[in-house]
Amino acid sequence: MQIRDLPYADPGVPDVRSGTRFLLWLGRNQLGGQVKALLWGLLLQLGIAGLPLGVGVAVQAVVDRDGGRLALAAGLLVGCGLAIAVGDTMLHRVAVTNWITAAARVQQLLSRKTAELGSVLTRRVAAGEVVSVSTGDVEKIGWFVEALSRFAAAALSLLIVCVALVVYQPALGIVVAIGVPVLALAVLPLLPRATRRADVQREKAGKATELASDTVAGLRVLRGIGGEELFLGRYRAASQEVRKAAVHSARMWALIAAIQVLLPGVLLIVVVAYGARLALDGRITVGELVTVYGAVALTHHPMRNFEEIAMAFSFSRPSAKRAARVLALTRTTTTTDAVGEEREATGDLYDPLTGLVAPAGRFTAVVCGDPDVAGRLADRLGGHPTEPAEGHTSVLLGGVPLDELPLAAARTAVLVQDKDPVLLSGTLRELLDVPSSGAVRAEDALAAAQCGDVLDALAQASVDTDGDPMRTRITERGRSLSGGQRQRLALARSLVTDPEVLVLDEPTSAVDSHTESRVADGIARLREGGTTVVLASSPLLLDRADRVVLVHDGQAVAVGTHRELLAKEPRYRAVVTRETDEELAAAGSRLHGIDTDELEALEGETA
């Protein structure tokens, strides 16, 4: 896989049973790149290891006054130099490719999971953690995948050097062959403690990122209530904890690095002392002593990869664990039915958990006293159970469970617009260029959503588009527009898609009553014949619905028109008209005058 081939056509199905298994899965999926990096790394390391041999041969040739061997040594050094140049260049190229492609694979997996879960993702995982995983954690994971092949090349080259030295000069080679494994394994007892400290650091850094993300997201509200300094103080405290944890972790890694420098120095002293005695005794030549000395001196180069792989694993394992936790989330709690792809989902929308029924082709309004309950209900209607307590119930569309449909089919059938829709940057035409049935024109959707003033504002803001609002760029998240303008543009985008079932959560909460009335008329007109569910408590919207359902304590308890429920259902009236408890109690006493048959009829509709 090359960088130019990104993105992956299919990033695969990850092994998310643990962080370590996820890292191994990534490594297996980049086996070709790992093998290339291993081979180029071997060329580099063996080129470095060959330098002492060339120098030793040259020194001995000078001592023996042998011109032929001196020329051979020169050729060997030139060959080693070329091997180092080519190996280092290509290793860097392949290793960086492995890093980027591994990071890209993880980002694609996260993007796919985000698209699969939608707004439910931030209900199950903190938004700050998602940001942390998709940025810093992805880099750490890519680092480990990239370092793995270089470590393998370094370990293999050390093994080759030890064997070669034993063959070349057994007396000194055996000393080196015993000393190098000791050097490599000396830091192992320190790694668990270093790993734990790295885990603590990453955990605190993740929490600080979550706090920063949540603070930025609510900055406008914080400023409004004077809580900005309070939350900034909390972030300062969290950042100081991260700093202390980083210093604590760095001390351990500094100790490991010191050992990696100290022990090779000790081995070098031993080799020089023992080799000098052997040379004085005439058991080895000066050239052989220089060769062994140079080989030992250069072991620090491959040994650095042992320290790096330990650090990479220690930092990437918690990152991989967090990524695996996000990737392990599923959009439903049930098992996909193999025949789901052959089913056609059309008809009434029914939620077994609440008893809510939205008849096909009708405009149904749902009233919930709690906005959070309404948000969770909207997610459920889109096929996303959000709480473990919801069990294994799935919303049914025409009798077919939504979670037994392929994701694309479920999204085509039911579209949910939450109460805080996001506008991506781009032109208005690009904003409305979404997958759709083609039955609703962008102009009609904009008119139904009462976006006339938005079009005028965009036309006036246009500098190089000849006053064409459709070509005017909208800033990221629509920050240049008011809340009501953003809300209506998002509504227009939802209307353009023309899904079989459209679920809108408080689509007019940020507009004035006059505009809200016209938007309600526009939705009813444009969605005529389609199934529309609006979660709202505005009388202007409720009065235009074909039927209204009151959800109380998680259950659909009353069904009727807006005017019928106002007259007969105190709980409904309390939510819609904001009645006080005293007013509700007084109204409840009048409920006894309602005919029993009428109550049974309403309850029958609810069932």
Side-chain angles (χ1 to χ4, degrees):
M1 185 68 179
Q2 299 297 320
I3 296 177
R4 63 174 175 270
D5 299 322
L6 294 174
Y8 290 94
D10 180 10
V13 180
D15 186 345
V16 294
R17 288 176 290 178
S18 69
T20 303
R21 289 178 182 272
F22 181 61
L23 289 174
L24 293 176
W25 177 84
L26 282 175
R28 288 196 304 270
N29 277 270
Q30 294 189 257
L31 192 58
Q34 296 290 342
V35 171
K36 289 179 182 178
L38 172 62
L39 295 177
W40 289 120
L42 274 176
L43 180 62
L44 169 64
Q45 299 291 351
L46 293 178
I48 294 173
L51 291 175
L53 178 60
V55 173
V57 172
V59 169
Q60 192 61 41
V62 171
V63 172
D64 297 339
R65 297 180 181 278
D66 188 342
R69 292 182 65 188
L70 186 60
L72 177 63
L76 181 59
L77 290 174
V78 170
C80 289
L82 290 174
I84 293 172
V86 174
D88 197 14
T89 301
M90 296 306 298
L91 174 61
H92 179 75
R93 178 186 179 93
V94 176
V96 170
T97 299
N98 288 341
W99 186 332
I100 293 175
T101 52
R105 186 187 294 273
V106 178
Q107 285 178 328
Q108 276 190 250
L109 290 170
L110 291 170
S111 298
R112 185 173 68 181
K113 183 59 64 175
T114 302
E116 176 186 338
L117 295 176
S119 62
V120 177
L121 177 62
T122 52
R123 293 183 185 273
R124 299 182 181 179
V125 181
E129 183 171 353
V130 177
V131 173
S132 177
V133 170
S134 59
T135 53
D137 286 339
V138 167
E139 287 192 19
K140 295 295 188 296
I141 293 170
W143 176 27
F144 174 77
V145 173
E146 177 264 339
L148 187 60
S149 54
R150 290 192 290 106
F151 162 73
L156 190 55
S157 65
L158 281 177
L159 178 62
I160 294 173
V161 167
C162 290
V163 172
L165 287 178
V166 171
V167 174
Y168 176 71
Q169 177 42 252
L172 284 177
I174 292 176
V175 175
V176 176
I178 295 173
V180 167
V182 173
L183 298 182
L185 301 177
V187 297
L188 282 182
L190 299 177
L191 289 180
R193 183 178 298 179
T195 300
R196 287 194 297 270
R197 292 188 180 185
D199 289 349
V200 171
Q201 177 193 352
R202 295 297 302 166
E203 181 182 356
K204 291 183 179 296
K207 289 181 179 179
T209 303
E210 292 175 23
L211 180 61
S213 175
D214 295 341
T215 301
V216 170
L219 195 56
R220 181 178 297 179
V221 177
L222 292 176
R223 285 173 175 168
I225 62 175
E228 184 178 2
E229 284 300 322
L230 173 63
F231 277 81
L232 287 177
R234 291 181 181 177
Y235 181 73
R236 291 190 192 100
S239 65
Q240 287 302 310
E241 289 186 8
V242 174
R243 181 189 63 80
K244 293 177 182 177
V247 171
H248 195 54
S249 177
R251 287 173 180 167
M252 184 57 65
W253 290 112
L255 177 60
I256 292 174
I259 292 174
Q260 294 269 334
V261 173
L262 175 64
L263 293 184
V266 173
L267 178 61
L268 193 61
I269 293 172
V270 171
V271 168
V272 170
Y274 183 54
R277 176 171 296 183
L278 293 177
L280 290 174
D281 294 341
R283 295 170 59 184
I284 64 172
T285 65
V286 175
E288 289 174 337
L289 176 59
V290 171
T291 297
V292 176
Y293 168 81
V296 175
L298 291 177
T299 54
H300 79 281
H301 190 276
M303 288 296 293
R304 286 186 305 176
N305 290 278
F306 284 74
E307 178 188 353
E308 183 187 13
I309 194 64
M311 290 186 66
F313 180 72
S314 298
F315 280 90
S316 65
R317 188 175 60 83
S319 295
K321 184 178 179 181
R322 279 192 292 270
R325 185 167 60 246
V326 174
L327 295 174
L329 298 174
T330 57
R331 73 182 176 107
T332 60
T333 56
T334 61
T335 303
T336 302
D337 191 343
V339 300
E341 297 184 8
E342 302 174 1
R343 298 186 182 183
E344 260 190 52
T346 182
D348 296 347
L349 185 68
Y350 171 61
D351 178 19
L353 189 67
T354 61
L356 170 66
V357 178
R362 300 185 68 185
F363 183 176
T364 301
V366 181
V367 175
C368 298
D370 187 345
D372 291 335
V373 172
R376 290 195 293 270
L377 177 57
D379 289 332
R380 277 191 55 79
L381 295 178
H384 300 290
T386 57
E387 300 291 341
E390 293 180 358
H392 296 276
T393 58
S394 173
V395 171
L396 307 179
L397 180 59
V400 179
L402 283 180
D403 59 3
E404 292 186 2
L405 291 173
L407 180 60
R411 290 285 169 82
T412 301
V414 181
L415 173 67
V416 178
Q417 176 182 303
D418 60 27
K419 61 172 62 69
D420 296 311
V422 175
L423 301 182
L424 301 179
S425 59
T427 65
L428 180 56
R429 180 173 286 108
E430 291 170 341
L431 174 70
L432 299 178
D433 184 17
V434 293
S436 64
S437 67
V440 177
R441 299 184 308 160
E443 294 78 6
D444 295 334
L446 289 168
Q450 300 300 310
C451 294
D453 63 318
V454 184
L455 297 177
D456 292 340
L458 291 176
Q460 294 176 5
S462 174
V463 177
D464 54 357
T465 60
D466 298 326
D468 184 0
M470 300 299 290
R471 294 168 54 195
T472 303
R473 292 193 64 81
I474 297 174
T475 57
E476 182 185 1
R477 303 180 72 90
R479 290 191 172 93
S480 59
L481 303 173
S482 68
Q485 290 174 328
R486 289 196 299 270
Q487 193 173 58
R488 282 175 284 152
L489 283 181
L491 175 60
R493 179 179 58 189
S494 298
L495 293 173
V496 165
T497 61
D498 190 36
E500 180 167 343
V501 179
L502 176 61
V503 180
L504 304 172
D505 185 8
E506 294 288 357
T508 58
S509 59
V511 300
D512 60 78
S513 58
H514 179 64
T515 304
E516 184 178 31
S517 176
R518 291 185 295 170
V519 169
D521 289 336
I523 294 174
R525 182 180 66 257
L526 202 61
R527 291 290 300 168
E528 185 176 1
T531 306
T532 306
V533 180
V534 176
L535 292 98
S537 58
S538 166
L540 294 172
L541 271 173
L542 299 174
D543 195 38
R544 283 156 179 79
D546 297 326
R547 63 200 302 271
V548 181
V549 180
L550 172 64
V551 175
H552 182 73
D553 290 338
Q555 293 294 317
V557 296
V559 180
T561 65
H562 170 61
R563 298 176 187 274
E564 289 172 350
L565 293 179
L566 273 180
K568 300 178 181 179
E569 178 54 66
R571 291 171 296 186
Y572 177 83
R573 187 166 54 253
V575 174
V576 174
T577 64
R578 309 294 193 272
E579 286 185 348
T580 64
D581 292 340
E582 292 77 8
E583 292 170 333
L584 180 59
S589 62
R590 296 194 299 270
L591 185 62
H592 298 290
I594 298 178
D595 190 273
T596 304
D597 293 335
E598 294 181 24
L599 281 175
E600 291 179 350
L602 288 175
E603 291 173 357
E605 284 192 57
T606 305

